[in-house]
Amino acid sequence: MSAFLGLAHLFFIFFYVGLFAVGGGLVAASFMQQVLVEKYALISAEKFYSMLAISESTPGPIGINLATYIGTELFGPGGGIVTTVGEALPALIIILIISKFFSGFQERPLVQDAFSGLRPATGGMVLVAMVNVFRIALLDIASFQEGGGVMALLRWKSFVFYLAAVVVLFRFKKVHPVFIVLAGAVFGVLCL
């Protein structure tokens, strides 16, 4: 496949993700995981979730950060531009259309019902992304399947760090989550 066809295909994949990822970056990440990892096998699940973790750690929208990172990883800077535009373009088009007509129909029961249906669906997509990240980051299913026993199922260092981060976030409310993210990055570099 030529680089142009690859980039065009990547653009349409990310346009699709941007078009249907109602609910934000984690929903977009879930779509990207389904398409790029499961359907096309362009990247491994472990690499995808490492990219997701880095994208969550950097400033900006998670979906856009992840799209840029994946595009750059697959096709260099041009790929990063193509995937970023593909991810962001549907939202821009939809917002322009909605802003033109929304005030005229926002109070209609059908529109209200549609928004009511989107909320739980979005919550479900975020939950799926969260479970997948949790599974990759904290569980070592391969070691468990090789007969390592129940104790081999957890990635213990990561699990202890996760519990510590949860305790710090809920016990010490004045600790900003950015410090937990930075501690996680340092932990990943030094301990994993």
Side-chain angles (χ1 to χ4, degrees), residues 50-62:
S50 294
M51 293 170 127
L52 178 61
I54 291 169
S55 297
E56 288 178 328
S57 305
T58 54
I62 296 167

Side-chain angles (χ1 to χ4, degrees), residues 8-187:
H9 190 218
L10 208 57
F11 172 83
F12 287 112
I13 287 172
F14 281 89
F15 189 87
Y16 162 79
V17 169
L19 186 61
F20 292 106
V22 177
L26 288 178
V27 176
S30 182
F31 272 124
M32 288 180 212
Q33 186 265 337
Q34 289 172 357
V35 174
L36 299 170
V37 175
E38 294 175 11
K39 185 174 182 180
Y40 293 112
L42 291 174
I43 52 177
S44 70
E46 189 165 306
K47 182 159 182 103
F48 176 81
Y49 286 109
S50 294
M51 293 170 127
L52 178 61
I54 291 169
S55 297
E56 288 178 328
S57 305
T58 54
I62 296 167
I64 297 294
N65 290 349
L66 186 56
T68 305
Y69 190 0
I70 291 170
T72 302
E73 184 74 20
L74 295 176
F75 285 99
I81 292 168
V82 165
T83 55
T84 302
V85 171
E87 172 78 13
L89 192 58
L92 177 65
I93 293 168
I94 290 169
I95 290 300
L96 289 173
I97 292 169
I98 288 174
S99 68
K100 178 90 171 136
F101 300 107
F102 189 67
S103 62
F105 64 89
Q106 68 185 1
E107 298 300 323
R108 294 186 185 203
L110 185 63
V111 172
Q112 294 296 319
D113 291 344
F115 281 119
S116 294
L118 284 172
R119 287 183 194 105
T122 300
M125 292 297 291
V126 169
L127 181 64
V128 166
M130 183 186 79
V131 167
N132 284 332
V133 169
F134 185 87
R135 182 177 51 87
I136 295 291
L138 301 179
L139 300 179
D140 191 353
I141 295 171
S143 294
F144 177 72
Q145 289 174 337
E146 291 172 0
V150 176
M151 296 301 287
L153 183 59
L154 279 178
R155 297 180 194 268
W156 284 99
K157 289 182 198 176
S158 297
F159 185 71
V160 169
F161 180 82
Y162 168 75
L163 289 179
V166 169
V167 167
V168 167
L169 280 173
F170 286 104
R171 178 79 172 109
F172 306 102
K173 303 232 186 260
K174 292 188 177 188
V175 174
H176 198 279
V178 167
F179 294 114
I180 301 298
V181 170
L182 291 173
V186 169
F187 171 79

